[in-house]
Each structure stands twice: as structure tokens, then as C-alpha cells.
Amino acid sequence: MAGYVTHMSEVQPSSDGENSVLTRTTIDSTVGAERLVQKIVTIPPGKSRHGHNDGRDEIAYVVSGSGSLRLEGETHALRPDLGVYIRAQEQYEIV
């Protein structure tokens, strides 16, 4: 299978129903990516997202806005153009 290109506007978001956090899964096994999942997560101001990564490492990239990442008890400032690596099984929260 060839590579795959998509835009977030082409994917319907799902909501967590609790904090109005929207998630768009843009690349996964449905398009032939057996070992990779790409999600775009939109967290409204004042809301939070608790993370669990189902046994996979995660990479996050902050596109806009600011907040904090609580990773294994340590707090890190989030800002645009910042990358984050989260190992499998680590507990985190984005606020």
C-alpha cells in the first residue's frame, strides 16, 4: 500500500462527553497503518485530558495554546511547537 495523506477536516471528531475534548483519528489500521496511530486532540481552555496509552509509546506536538502536562508526578509547561514523548504505561494528564 502507498502512503496516506489526510486533513483533520476530513475526519469526524469523537467527544469524550465529559470535558468536550475532541479526538480525530486521522491515520490507523483502517487506512493500512498497522503499527501507527495518529490522532488530533483538541482540548478546550479550562478542560483536561487524562491519558493512558494502551501499551504504546506516544508522541504529542503542541500546535497552539498553552497548558501543563503532568507526567508521572512531574509538571511540564506546554506551548506551541513543543514535542512530548510519553512511554508506554506512563500516566499523564494534560490541563
Side-chain angles (χ1 to χ4, degrees), residues 14-29:
S14 62
S15 174
D16 69 355
E18 185 176 315
N19 284 321
S20 302
V21 174
L22 298 179
T23 301
R24 289 177 170 86
T25 302
T26 54
I27 298 173
D28 63 5
S29 61

Side-chain angles (χ1 to χ4, degrees), residues 1-17:
M1 176 179 164
Y4 183 78
V5 176
T6 188
H7 188 272
M8 67 180 274
S9 65
E10 298 171 356
V11 179
Q12 286 294 99
S14 62
S15 174
D16 69 355

Side-chain angles (χ1 to χ4, degrees), residues 57-80:
D57 292 354
E58 287 190 24
I59 295 174
Y61 180 78
V62 181
V63 175
S64 64
S66 63
S68 297
L69 168 70
R70 292 188 193 122
L71 178 61
E72 294 294 310
E74 197 170 324
T75 301
H76 306 271
L78 297 176
R79 63 186 183 285

Side-chain angles (χ1 to χ4, degrees), residues 27-87:
I27 298 173
D28 63 5
S29 61
T30 64
V31 296
E34 298 300 326
R35 296 182 291 193
L36 175 70
V37 176
Q38 175 180 288
K39 295 180 181 182
I40 298 171
V41 179
T42 305
I43 304 171
K47 302 298 182 179
S48 64
R49 177 180 184 245
H50 292 275
H52 57 82
N53 47 19
D54 301 325
R56 293 183 235 173
D57 292 354
E58 287 190 24
I59 295 174
Y61 180 78
V62 181
V63 175
S64 64
S66 63
S68 297
L69 168 70
R70 292 188 193 122
L71 178 61
E72 294 294 310
E74 197 170 324
T75 301
H76 306 271
L78 297 176
R79 63 186 183 285
D81 298 326
L82 185 80
V84 176
Y85 172 63
I86 302 168
R87 292 187 182 274

